[in-house]
Every structure is written in C-alpha cells, then in structure tokens.
Amino acid sequence: MKEIENRTDIINLVNKFYEYVHADPKMAPVFVMPPEQWERHLERTYNFWDNWLFQTGSYKGGLMWAHIEKNQSHPITTELFEHWLSHWFRTVDELFTGEKAEFLKSKALELGQIMNAKLNRQ
C-alpha cells in the first residue's frame, strides 16, 4: 500500500469506491443518473477530495444541495449513511495508508454526520 500523493490517486480511489457502491443493492439506486450527470458527479467528487487534500481550489459549490435533492427520491437514512461510510473506509483502507488516508476517513465521517443530522432531523 502507498500514501495518497496526487489527484490520480484520488481519481483511482473514487472510481474504486463507486465500483463497490454500484455493486451494492442498497446503494446503487441512489446513484442512478444519466451519463452526463454521472460524469459531472464524478468530476465534482474528484475535485472535492482533491481540494481537501491538496488545497487546489478545484472544488466550487456547496455540498448539501445535491444530497437534499437526492433525499427526495431516495431517502438517505442513517443506515444508508453508515453503509456509504463502510464502503468509503473499505476502499481507502484497501488502497492507501498514511496521514492523508486517515484524513479522508475522518473527514468523510464528519461530513456524513453533518449531512445525516440535516437530512434526518428527528
């Protein structure tokens, strides 16, 4: 295993993560979208993590609006968030080690908790 060094590593991580997500019957329906929308989603996801790790300024826009919109057609429950995180942690752990890998997991957990709280208010 290696440390995360650049955008190519992020792209590989995100692509592998979505391989797992698309093979998962619980998660796959959430990510069904037209090809052009999917390409935009991937690019935004690459940019999001690239910006967090390497301060590239490549990510523009907010995080919540897309999740709020998706929540209307596919409720993003606490269970689904936990499932999403398990795929993310698994993928990071399979591919990478080191400080940046740990940061990706902790940041995903933090952001997931915030989104879950906003989408699943009791």
Side-chain angles (χ1 to χ4, degrees):
M1 281 205 282
K2 63 178 244 160
E3 299 227 6
I4 300 170
E5 299 173 347
N6 52 42
R7 183 178 176 88
T8 299
D9 289 339
I10 291 169
I11 291 170
N12 291 336
L13 169 68
V14 169
N15 289 346
K16 184 67 171 176
F17 165 74
Y18 280 119
E19 283 179 30
Y20 291 136
V21 166
H22 284 127
D24 183 326
K26 289 182 185 178
M27 297 295 300
V30 177
F31 293 93
V32 171
M33 58 189 78
E36 64 280 354
Q37 187 179 354
W38 177 247
E39 290 303 316
R40 278 194 313 272
H41 174 76
L42 279 178
E43 190 64 28
R44 284 178 58 85
T45 305
Y46 303 149
N47 290 344
F48 179 81
W49 292 113
D50 188 44
N51 189 54
W52 272 108
L53 283 182
F54 303 112
Q55 293 80 47
T56 60
S58 59
Y59 182 75
K60 306 290 186 222
L63 184 64
M64 280 304 297
W65 69 269
H67 296 88
I68 290 169
E69 186 177 281
K70 185 56 80 168
N71 194 47
Q72 302 303 311
S73 59
H74 290 86
I76 305 172
T77 63
T78 298
E79 178 187 2
L80 204 57
F81 269 115
E82 290 172 353
H83 209 61
W84 179 90
L85 280 171
S86 71
H87 283 302
W88 184 252
F89 280 36
R90 168 188 174 191
T91 309
V92 172
D93 288 342
E94 283 179 3
L95 298 177
F96 300 104
T97 189
E99 188 177 310
K100 286 184 174 71
E102 292 305 313
F103 174 82
L104 286 179
K105 293 188 298 185
S106 67
K107 186 52 70 177
L109 177 60
E110 176 188 336
L111 295 171
Q113 289 171 332
I114 292 167
M115 281 192 284
N116 187 43
K118 288 184 179 188
L119 295 176
N120 294 300
R121 291 185 179 142
Q122 302 300 342

